[in-house]
Amino acid sequence: MSCSVQTSLRILSLHSPSWHSSSKSVPSDFGANTPCSNTVELLGKAYPQDDYSNVTEKILSKVGKNLHNKKHHPLWLIKEQVKDHFYKQYIGRRGTPLFSVYDGLSPVVTVQQNFDRLLIPQNHASRRKEDNYYLNRDHMLRAHTSAHQWDLIHSGLDAFLAVGDVYRRDTIDNTHYPVFHQMEGVRLFSCHELFSNIKDGEGLQLFEQGHRTAHKQECHTMEAVRLVEFNLKQVLTKLMTHIFGDGLQVRWVDCYFPFTHPSFEMEINFQGEWMEVLGCGVMEQQLVNSAGAQDKIGWAFGLGLERLAMILYNIPDIRLFWSEDERFLKQFIVPHIWQKIKFQPLSRYPPLINDISFWLPSETYSKNDFYDLARTVGGDLIEKVVLVDEFTHPNFWYSDRNPNVLLHDTLNHNMSDILVLLFAE
């Protein structure tokens, strides 16, 4: 039996000139799920399109921007702070930094790199086409910097940081954006490295044939897991204290990631509010083994650069990181990376609200399809899209929704473009 759903959305548009760019016509053949040609040209390579291809021109235009490598950009400042801390805090046997840093790895990865090698199940929700940007069934824009874990370990590295832009289809508001930046950290230990400073630790081992519990994997000894977990939490606590200041309150929340166990989220108390800042855990030994480091155990963490920058610099909207307005960028030109900065707002104009209602074009049409369409027309001037109503017809498959869209006043004429493209689908 088929039914139909009507959607109502509310679109909120920004009045801030810092996000304003010249108005451009929208190609009439745009479709979030319909490729315009047989191949996608990206970073000098051509990728054949298929039924999984869903990357929009808007997203493709962000590839190669590498905000984390632009000197004096707030994301560059955060990256440099973390890098500086690790370089100075952790020194190898030859007097050189223990951790290598990779911040220029291609954002185009295989599905195997992004999911399979990280032990993410075939039916896991994170693989969905609705949540990722696929070039085709085999290649995609990385959804996390964890996509490089296996390759870097396989190359022989024991300690590294990987930094880059990541891509996920997401809602439209001030804390979500389809492109953001992550830093991945990995540290592996041999038996000697882990137990050498432990009194009477000569007989301790990394591995055993045991059972998986909430606190350890079946192949790890409890002694090894406790030391790895202690080292991980100590390293991250020192990092966050160095960034946010002495006296920082930290707490750990148990969670789940397919590629670590046990897994944790780190929360900090900043200005009286608890905030989640990163995820981490003891790496799944199956992943470590498959990458060629069978005699080692390790930890991994992943943090969002935007998340830290928004907290540290009091930046209220994630889209500001893409601003080319000098009034924004000049605030972060400082003599040294550790100088304290507090973002100064650029505009105080009120927002503009528009309501639209439409029947869904097909049963497979997702909310992220509409978000991509709205971003193509309005760019970053669309501050928020909120689903305010939904109607399901009992006898037909048609769907109708009513979104509320907050828009910049200069984009009123583009509301018609959104509707034209929506109905064209």
Side-chain angles (χ1 to χ4, degrees):
M1 178 179 176
S2 57
C3 63
S4 92
V5 184
Q6 186 182 50
T7 298
S8 299
L9 294 175
R10 179 158 294 156
I11 301 178
L12 181 68
S13 221
L14 294 171
H15 245 297
S16 171
S18 64
W19 278 302
H20 182 61
S21 58
S22 58
S23 177
K24 296 181 180 179
S25 60
V26 180
S28 60
D29 59 350
F30 168 79
N33 295 312
T34 305
C36 311
S37 63
N38 294 326
T39 61
V40 175
E41 301 283 342
L42 188 60
L43 301 177
K45 294 184 179 180
Y47 299 89
Q49 293 191 333
D50 56 28
D51 60 328
Y52 247 62
S53 306
N54 65 350
V55 183
T56 66
E57 289 296 325
K58 190 73 176 179
I59 297 302
L60 290 176
S61 70
K62 304 292 187 183
V63 178
K65 297 291 187 182
N66 296 327
L67 300 183
H68 61 289
N69 289 335
K70 290 190 174 182
K71 192 171 183 179
H72 296 300
H73 190 280
L75 299 182
W76 175 85
L77 288 174
I78 295 294
K79 182 198 75 171
E80 291 298 310
Q81 287 182 18
V82 177
K83 189 170 78 172
D84 181 68
H85 173 76
F86 273 87
Y87 275 2
K88 292 177 178 177
Q89 190 74 30
Y90 307 102
I91 306 299
R93 286 175 292 180
R94 298 181 180 178
T96 56
L98 179 65
F99 284 81
S100 305
V101 177
Y102 297 85
D103 57 11
L105 300 171
S106 173
V108 179
V109 298
T110 63
V111 172
Q112 184 181 37
Q113 287 174 303
N114 200 80
F115 296 122
D116 299 341
R117 286 176 176 171
L118 295 172
L119 312 179
I120 297 175
Q122 289 291 329
N123 60 351
H124 196 273
S126 65
R127 289 178 178 256
R128 294 186 309 176
K129 182 179 175 181
E130 291 82 0
D131 296 326
N132 297 284
Y133 287 106
Y134 284 92
L135 299 175
N136 51 44
R137 283 186 172 269
D138 297 321
H139 294 86
M140 63 188 298
L141 296 177
R142 64 188 168 208
H144 44 198
T145 47
S146 305
H148 302 291
Q149 270 189 24
W150 192 95
D151 293 306
L152 292 173
I153 294 173
H154 189 65
S155 72
L157 294 173
D158 287 341
F160 59 83
L161 303 174
V163 195
D165 43 335
V166 300
Y167 299 78
R168 297 181 195 172
R169 303 180 74 188
D170 216 333
T171 188
I172 299 178
D173 60 32
N174 67 314
T175 60
H176 295 88
Y177 199 72
V179 190
F180 55 104
H181 298 75
Q182 284 187 340
M183 174 178 285
E184 192 84 7
V186 167
R187 174 78 195 277
L188 301 181
F189 301 87
S190 66
C191 187
H192 172 74
E193 288 171 325
L194 192 62
F195 296 125
S196 60
N197 294 324
I198 303 300
K199 184 178 180 181
D200 300 325
E202 295 82 5
L204 298 177
Q205 300 294 321
L206 298 180
F207 307 112
E208 68 176 8
Q209 301 242 342
H211 300 282
R212 178 171 290 239
T213 71
H215 306 290
K216 64 181 283 295
Q217 298 170 41
E218 57 272 24
C219 57
H220 291 158
T221 64
M222 183 57 73
E223 294 84 5
V225 171
R226 284 176 175 170
L227 282 176
V228 172
E229 181 182 328
F230 175 81
N231 181 265
L232 168 65
K233 292 179 176 180
Q234 183 183 57
V235 165
L236 295 176
T237 299
K238 284 183 178 179
L239 171 63
M240 291 301 154
T241 300
H242 200 61
I243 291 176
F244 291 98
D246 293 333
L248 184 72
Q249 288 182 281
V250 171
R251 68 185 183 190
W252 302 93
V253 180
D254 293 338
C255 65
Y256 165 78
F257 299 115
F259 33 85
T260 56
H261 180 78
S263 303
F264 314 96
E265 287 180 343
M266 181 185 193
E267 296 183 352
I268 64 170
N269 191 309
F270 187 68
Q271 296 180 347
E273 182 179 354
W274 284 102
M275 302 178 181
E276 185 264 317
V277 289
L278 58 83
C280 61
V282 178
M283 296 184 70
E284 282 285 354
Q285 195 61 38
Q286 182 182 341
L287 188 164
V288 177
N289 291 350
S290 68
Q294 300 91 330
D295 58 340
K296 295 178 180 178
I297 185 174
W299 52 248
F301 73 84
L303 58 83
L305 299 184
E306 280 89 347
R307 178 67 168 158
L308 292 184
M310 291 176 77
I311 297 172
L312 187 63
Y313 302 135
N314 199 29
I315 297 174
D317 198 299
I318 194 170
R319 287 156 295 204
L320 273 167
F321 293 110
W322 294 90
S323 173
E324 296 181 355
D325 192 316
E326 286 298 313
R327 295 175 300 164
F328 173 76
L329 297 174
K330 283 183 177 179
Q331 296 186 43
F332 301 94
I333 299 177
V334 290
H336 59 85
I337 59 174
W338 294 103
Q339 181 166 318
K340 293 189 179 300
I341 303 170
K342 184 175 181 180
F343 168 68
Q344 299 299 318
L346 308 182
S347 176
R348 297 180 181 176
Y349 291 104
L352 207 72
I353 297 174
N354 291 266
D355 288 346
I356 62 173
S357 181
F358 57 90
W359 295 104
L360 290 186
S362 73
E363 292 177 298
T364 60
Y365 196 84
S366 76
K367 59 185 179 183
N368 284 333
D369 293 327
F370 179 80
Y371 296 151
D372 280 341
L373 185 150
R375 282 192 176 100
T376 296
V377 176
D380 296 343
L381 289 172
I382 297 179
E383 179 180 340
K384 185 187 296 184
V385 177
V386 181
L387 180 66
V388 295
D389 190 25
E390 186 173 39
F391 168 73
T392 301
H393 196 286
N395 299 321
F396 302 97
W397 65 265
Y398 294 107
S399 301
D400 182 65
R401 292 182 182 169
N402 182 1
N404 179 294
V405 187
L406 181 58
L407 292 163
H408 189 290
D409 60 351
T410 60
L411 280 187
N412 273 336
H413 66 284
N414 281 338
M415 277 299 295
S416 61
D417 289 336
I418 291 178
L419 294 174
V420 167
L421 292 179
L422 182 64
F423 297 145
E425 295 187 348

